[in-house]
Amino acid sequence: MSSAASSVPVDASASAPGLPGSPAPVAGEPGPAASALVRAIRGQRTDRLPVWFMRQAGRSLPEYRDLRVGTRMLDACLTPDLAAEITLQPVRRHGVDAGIFFSDIVVPLRLAGIAVEIEPGRGPVFADPVRTASDVAKIVAIDPDAVSVAAEPVREAVRIVTGELGATPLIGFAGAPFTLAAYLVEGGPSKEHLRARAMMHADPEAWHALAGWLARVSQGFLRAQTDAGASAVQLFDSWAGSLSVADYRAFVAPHSRAALAGVDAPRIHFGVGTAHLLADMRLDGTTDAVGVDWRTPLDEAVTVLGADVTVQGNIDPALLQAPWHVIETHVRDVIARGRAARAHILNLGHGVPPETDPDVLTRIVALAREADA
Ligand code: CP3
């Protein structure tokens, strides 16, 4: 099992934006719906353990850093040729089982006309934080359907990518309402997301209005990607770990469920520090797979999640800096524990740190190919 990216152009001439991609699909050949990744999300084990990496497109790749020179992050996300090329880079280089669309969780908020920038080394920053009931009223007056209409550059980029990927699936994604609100209410990155969590209790009506609106916007962003050809979706609730179980159930889960419901594609739901929330993150069956961070061994996660959901994860991103023999032992352990689930998608427990040597990721893909799935 060596030819990793069989359907992806590896020809170096295809590495510039807009250049010809893979040949037109041949009728009857298996497409992305038959891929190991899509089957795993749906609960089927195949003889191939699917592997991809959160944040595989980005600063760990020198070819990404070269392309990004002189272009702001959100402008890059909304330039179809550039977003498509950046999405394809890690698929070509590592031979992973899926592309993850190059974009950002705040892109749909930019499309809604909200003033947001991504500051390098810091993250999303909003000029006007949404803190009061009247701030919320202004935001929710923006029509979520207009956001979907404005997502044409996203659809265009997805069409380019899926045309090139052939039988390799593209994963579309969105931020979950709580993680988006954690930035929007705070105005930027924060450690414990105190203002968003305070709003839930201080003004539940404003909170539910905001989170309900964010759910519609996230769903529109996911649909833009699936309509244009993405084969699966992942909802990132990266900061949900800061919530109590009670708050998660009352203030967050219904909105995440609404964001994912109605998206007609296999679904993955991911959070960080969510050991106490794992069972609830199934969203009453609205998700097909749950992403687990590095803190919870996958076999333990399965005892909480049950046998009828797929797990994704959970290589510790910190270990990517360790000597190879340490990484190899760890990855083999993750794979062994993943066998407890109905199906397993090998991934990190969170995103690729920018300082990662990309060759390590390529070696992990080779290890997954050897593994007896
Ligand atoms: O490869 C991929 O995973 C696809 C692209 C992707 C990006 N952001 C690109 C990006 C995805 C899926 C995201 C999601 C995202 N964005 C999340 C959820 C995932 C997670 O990591 O928990 C969150 C919380 C954000 C918000 C955000 N955007 C942060 C915290 C940062 C990092 C800021 C920094 O410079 O350290 C960003 C910027 C960002 N998003 C970069 C990339 C490649 C780096 C920007 C750059 O290269 O200049």
Side-chain angles (χ1 to χ4, degrees), residues 25 44 46 51 75 77 80 93 95 130 148 153 245 285 336 347 362:
Q44 270 180 290
T46 62
V51 53
D75 295 335
C77 293
R93 179 192 267 263
V130 177
S148 299
V245 174
N347 203 318
T362 310

Side-chain angles (χ1 to χ4, degrees), residues 15-31:
S15 65
L19 284 179
S22 50
V26 177
E29 275 199 0

Side-chain angles (χ1 to χ4, degrees), residues 55-323:
R55 293 284 178 96
Q56 64 189 21
R59 285 173 298 180
S60 66
L61 301 185
E63 59 269 36
Y64 168 80
R65 295 194 296 264
D66 288 349
L67 265 189
R68 274 291 317 286
V69 172
T71 311
R72 302 201 71 152
M73 175 63 191
L74 292 177
D75 295 335
C77 293
L78 292 169
T79 305
D81 278 354
L82 197 50
E85 175 57 22
I86 294 172
T87 303
L88 291 165
Q89 284 177 341
V91 188
R92 290 195 195 105
R93 179 192 267 263
H94 304 305
V96 278
D97 286 277
I100 171 90
F101 183 55
F102 177 78
S103 193
D104 196 83
I105 57 169
V106 298
V107 163
L109 302 178
R110 160 70 73 91
L111 293 172
I114 296 170
V116 54
E117 282 295 350
I118 291 183
E119 283 186 13
R122 185 153 179 244
V125 176
F126 291 85
D128 306 303
V130 177
R131 299 216 173 130
T132 64
S134 77
D135 295 339
V136 171
K138 267 187 239 155
I139 291 270
V140 304
I142 302 168
D143 180 2
D145 293 337
V147 180
S148 299
V149 172
E152 189 49 32
V154 168
R155 282 186 288 271
E156 179 56 18
V158 169
R159 283 191 288 266
I160 298 170
V161 172
T162 51
E164 298 249 346
L165 281 177
T168 302
L170 176 70
I171 302 169
F173 76 91
F178 173 70
T179 289
L180 288 174
Y183 286 108
L184 200 55
V185 178
E186 205 72 38
S190 62
K191 259 206 169 137
E192 296 182 21
H193 326 301
L194 297 178
R195 287 188 172 95
R197 292 195 289 117
M199 188 194 277
M200 293 172 187
H201 293 276
D203 191 345
E205 206 179 314
W207 167 261
H208 283 298
L210 177 63
W213 183 83
L214 289 167
R216 291 187 60 196
V217 167
S218 284
Q219 188 184 82
F221 188 54
L222 292 173
R223 278 190 167 171
Q225 296 166 78
T226 54
D227 287 351
S231 297
V233 296
Q234 176 158 320
L235 190 70
F236 283 92
D237 208 352
S238 302
W239 310 141
S242 69
L243 293 156
S244 68
V245 174
D247 284 357
Y248 185 75
R249 286 183 187 159
F251 297 109
V252 172
H255 300 292
S256 295
R257 196 187 309 122
L260 273 181
V263 177
D264 188 17
R267 305 163 192 145
I268 308 167
H269 186 201
F270 167 77
V272 181
T274 50
H276 60 303
L277 302 176
L278 281 178
D280 290 279
M281 285 183 66
R282 296 191 52 173
L283 303 174
D284 303 322
T286 305
T287 196
D288 305 291
V290 174
V292 180
D293 85 357
W294 65 94
R295 294 172 179 90
T296 310
L298 289 181
D299 50 340
E300 280 180 32
V302 171
T303 62
V304 177
L305 283 163
D308 52 345
V309 75
T310 296
V311 296
Q312 176 174 280
N314 68 348
I315 299 167
D316 185 344
L319 292 201
L320 299 176
Q321 313 295 328

